[in-house]
Amino acid sequence: MAATSSVPALPATPLAVRAVEYVRACETEPVANHSIRSYLFATMLAGHEGLRPAADFDPGLLFFACVLHDLGTSPLASGTKRFEVDGADMAAAFLTDNGIGASAVDLVWEAIALHTSPGIAERRGALAYLTRVGVGIDFGRGAEFITDAEGQAIHAGYPRLRMAGALIDEIVRHAARGPLNALPYTIAGELVRERGTDGRRTILEMAARASRWGE
Amino acid sequence: MAATSSVPALPATPLAVRAVEYVRACETEPVANHSIRSYLFATMLAGHEGLRPAADFDPGLLFFACVLHDLGTSPLASGTKRFEVDGADMAAAFLTDNGIGASAVDLVWEAIALHTSPGIAERRGALAYLTRVGVGIDFGRGAEFITDAEGQAIHAGYPRLRMAGALIDEIVRHAARGPLNALPYTIAGELVRERGTDGRRTILEMAARASRWGE
């Protein structure tokens, strides 16, 4: 089991525990588990690339950005804007209500708002970079540095439950709630188009399915 | 001609003049004219909404962000990343080479990188907001507050030349230069998909064509 010992633990602060409780109350189990795995992968990526906690990024904020990144899929989201921003606003409200300062909240907001923006998030600082790439690793992108034992341990703790399809179901559901939620050329708008009227599979699901973790 | 007098002038500083020369050397005429009109519309929007130059946004940076926002369509762009970021990098290099400081350059970079991101750019400060919405007005979105005389004066100075199709031609050309330039769920990737193999019209062109300015 030596190889699995490099899987990080979740932070144990009261606010971190509360954040996980909040996510589990707001989101479906596949989406919540995806969010936690994204944090674990993001943390492992930081270590792999030599990005240092505190010196290069705030590990507490990375936890919040990753764990809270899909709040926009929740029925508790406003349903009036694109799901990334709806989730960023919910995360910002949660953190503000719990005493986190405005500049730190804005960093988390930005990382969540940009998590579906390839090529942009990676250029907006370490927090947005690690959040986007951590989420991407859970979709099977760039996961080569994770060992099979590590991947299995993470999925044993937080089962996959056909994450990709389940997440897209929620994005499509959110899209139907308001006219601004899924404009053409945004990921939600294009997922709605791909799903069409017969619920067919999307490029995003097919890519996940073909990856080492499966859908 | 009274109504047209509310059309702003271009700034006359040496660097502003040089920026326009740079854009005209880098871009096709329809794309360069679109970029200048976007600045005029953004400035009129700021006035319309009571956003004050200097107090609420830097009008010099707004000029650079708007005028330089489509540099990524240039053959001089690297061709190795999404066109928004390719253009943001060219704009940042141009401004840095001309003595603009790093924090101002970063604001322009962000406004250009986010100009195709509806619902996100509008939330990243006045510069990113005005840049995105100014560009959108030139696509016919939210242009109701512009009078016909103002619109005609602006288009007389900077002719439209079937801007939407011409710009998409360049985005599609840029997309073909590298594998990261037009990923699925980005505007370039979806424009490439819509154009298909027979160059058919896109949602973006059709929306422009149906708007008050036409394509």
Side-chain angles (χ1 to χ4, degrees), chain A residues 10-11 19-20 23 27 31-45 57-71 91 95 107-109 111-112 115 126-136:
Chain A
L10 301 190
V20 172
V23 164
E27 299 174 3
V31 176
N33 287 359
H34 156 66
S35 300
I36 296 171
R37 289 194 308 272
S38 295
Y39 164 72
L40 298 173
F41 288 135
T43 300
M44 294 169 77
L45 176 73
F57 68 96
D58 182 321
L61 297 187
L62 182 62
F63 179 74
F64 294 128
C66 290
V67 165
L68 304 174
H69 85 271
D70 273 335
L71 280 175
L95 295 173
L107 287 171
V108 173
W109 192 99
I112 295 176
H115 85 269
L127 190 73
Y129 167 73
L130 291 170
T131 301
R132 165 145 179 94
V133 182
V135 170

Side-chain angles (χ1 to χ4, degrees), chain A residues 120-170:
Chain A
I120 298 177
E122 295 87 339
R123 299 285 299 275
R124 298 312 291 164
L127 190 73
Y129 167 73
L130 291 170
T131 301
R132 165 145 179 94
V133 182
V135 170
I137 292 171
D138 199 48
F139 274 93
R141 295 191 296 268
E144 295 77 13
F145 73 93
I146 312 277
T147 67
D148 286 342
E150 288 165 344
Q152 285 161 14
I154 287 172
H155 282 90
Y158 305 96
R160 197 155 183 86
L161 307 173
R162 299 173 66 87
M163 174 277 291
L167 173 56
I168 294 168
D169 287 347
E170 297 307 320

Side-chain angles (χ1 to χ4, degrees), chain B residues 172 189-202:
Chain B
V172 169
E190 302 303 336
L191 289 171
V192 167
R193 174 188 55 74
E194 286 184 294
R195 279 284 176 97
T197 52
D198 56 355
R200 64 182 184 282
R201 301 216 156 252
T202 62

Side-chain angles (χ1 to χ4, degrees), chain A residues 82 85 89 106 109-110 113-114 117-120 123-124 183-187 190-191 193-194 202-204, chain B residues 82 85 89 106 109-110 113-114 117-120 123-124 183 185-187 190-191 193-194 202-204:
Chain A
R82 58 187 296 166
V85 173
D89 284 346
D106 185 63
W109 192 99
E110 181 182 39
L114 293 179
S117 294
I120 298 177
R123 299 285 299 275
R124 298 312 291 164
L183 296 176
Y185 312 120
T186 67
I187 191 167
E190 301 303 335
L191 290 171
R193 174 187 56 74
E194 286 184 295
T202 63
I203 290 175
L204 186 61
Chain B
R82 58 187 296 165
V85 173
D89 283 346
D106 186 63
W109 192 98
E110 182 182 37
L114 293 180
S117 295
I120 298 177
R123 299 285 299 276
R124 297 312 291 162
L183 296 176
Y185 313 120
T186 68
I187 191 168
E190 302 303 336
L191 289 171
R193 174 188 55 74
E194 286 184 294
T202 62
I203 290 175
L204 187 60

